[in-house]
Amino acid sequence: MRRSSRARRFILRVSHAGFGATLTLPEGSHRNAAEDFVRSNEVWLREKLSGQADRAIVEPGTSLPFRGSHVAIRHVPAPRGAVVLSDGVLEVPASQVDAVPKRTEVFFREAARQEVADRVRHHGSTLGREPSRIALRDPRSRWGSCTTDGRLMFSWRLIMAPPDVLDYVVAHEVAHLREMNHSHRFWAIVADLCPDYETHRRWLRENGSQLHRYDFTHSGKNRRT
């Protein structure tokens, strides 16, 4: 449970990342009323929680989605060296096995940064628009966003999706540089940039939660049970 000065009613959300549910309470509301609200939505909540993807700890031996395929993580006992992807195996040099998840995340983030920047340049050139800034983060509720001053944000986890899905998300946000809404004009621009966008949008709705299930913050021996 968390309180928010902006909330005007109880809001119950289930995490797409498999991390449970959050109930947002308006300031001044009573906890008893909040608990009654949860009980009144118990059937819905149990159904949503049962459909959450199990969390997968990133560690040597883990198979991770990457650009629509899968790669297996292999720990290379070495104090330094570049992470190398070859024949479906991601070799991660690290003195301690506990460093493997973080180094893997850094590799994924950099790959996402390069791919996103390339697609932003491509679609931005088509529209004659340039963002003021591009940032990569790890949000739980959205794959991308665009601010009124032209700043674009993308989830680095898109690098785990098929390339065409990442391209759709970039096209979607670049289209907002011209139309800051979801009007018919906006979707017409998206269709021009990414003709099969409905297919890729559907893929995200059906499979996006799987990209959030991978936990890059813990090694196997630090796993909580």
Side-chain angles (χ1 to χ4, degrees):
M1 292 186 183
R2 69 179 185 88
R3 295 187 181 274
S4 170
S5 60
R6 294 185 297 176
R8 296 292 177 265
R9 57 187 174 84
F10 295 126
I11 302 173
L12 185 60
R13 289 194 177 99
V14 174
S15 168
H16 294 298
F19 299 151
T22 300
L23 178 65
T24 302
L25 289 67
E27 293 286 357
S29 59
H30 295 289
R31 186 181 179 89
N32 287 345
E35 291 175 351
D36 288 342
F37 178 81
V38 173
R39 290 191 190 96
S40 69
N41 288 279
E42 180 178 354
V43 174
W44 176 87
L45 180 58
R46 288 186 180 278
E47 178 182 344
K48 292 297 182 181
L49 289 175
S50 66
Q52 283 187 331
D54 293 333
R55 188 182 307 191
I57 304 298
V58 175
E59 57 190 347
T62 300
S63 177
L64 283 172
F66 183 72
R67 288 185 168 132
S69 299
H70 276 77
V71 298
I73 299 177
R74 177 186 171 195
H75 174 224
V76 179
R80 60 181 62 86
V83 176
V84 177
L85 176 59
S86 178
D87 295 328
V89 176
L90 191 68
E91 297 185 342
V92 185
S95 297
Q96 302 294 325
V97 71
D98 288 355
V100 169
K102 185 60 179 177
R103 291 218 64 191
T104 302
E105 178 184 335
V106 170
F107 178 85
F108 274 45
R109 281 180 177 269
E110 183 56 31
R113 189 180 309 281
Q114 295 178 17
E115 188 69 19
V116 165
D118 177 72
R119 301 319 298 163
V120 168
R121 281 193 298 269
H122 174 78
H123 293 306
S125 176
T126 300
L127 288 186
R129 293 288 194 276
E130 290 186 7
S132 59
R133 183 185 177 190
I134 302 173
L136 266 68
R137 295 176 186 152
D138 192 15
R140 299 298 180 187
S141 59
R142 59 179 63 187
W143 297 105
S145 65
C146 176
T147 63
T148 54
D149 60 354
R151 287 176 292 148
L152 301 182
M153 184 283 296
F154 298 95
S155 168
W156 63 263
R157 289 178 186 263
L158 284 167
I159 199 63
M160 293 191 277
D164 286 344
V165 173
L166 180 149
D167 184 66
Y168 153 66
V169 176
V170 173
H172 183 117
E173 301 309 331
V174 169
H176 279 310
L177 294 175
R178 177 174 288 180
E179 290 287 339
M180 198 62 183
N181 52 58
H182 286 100
S183 64
H184 292 302
R185 292 191 302 274
F186 167 80
W187 287 110
I189 294 171
V190 174
D192 286 340
L193 297 176
C194 183
D196 295 331
Y197 79 87
E198 290 183 349
T199 298
H200 311 316
R201 190 183 183 200
R202 183 166 56 252
W203 189 96
L204 273 179
R205 286 199 302 266
E206 295 175 354
N207 303 283
S209 63
Q210 293 295 321
L211 307 186
H212 281 293
R213 65 186 290 259
Y214 296 96
D215 185 352
F216 292 78
T217 62
H218 300 91
S219 67
K221 71 179 190 178
N222 289 328
R223 185 181 308 177
R224 295 181 180 178
T225 58

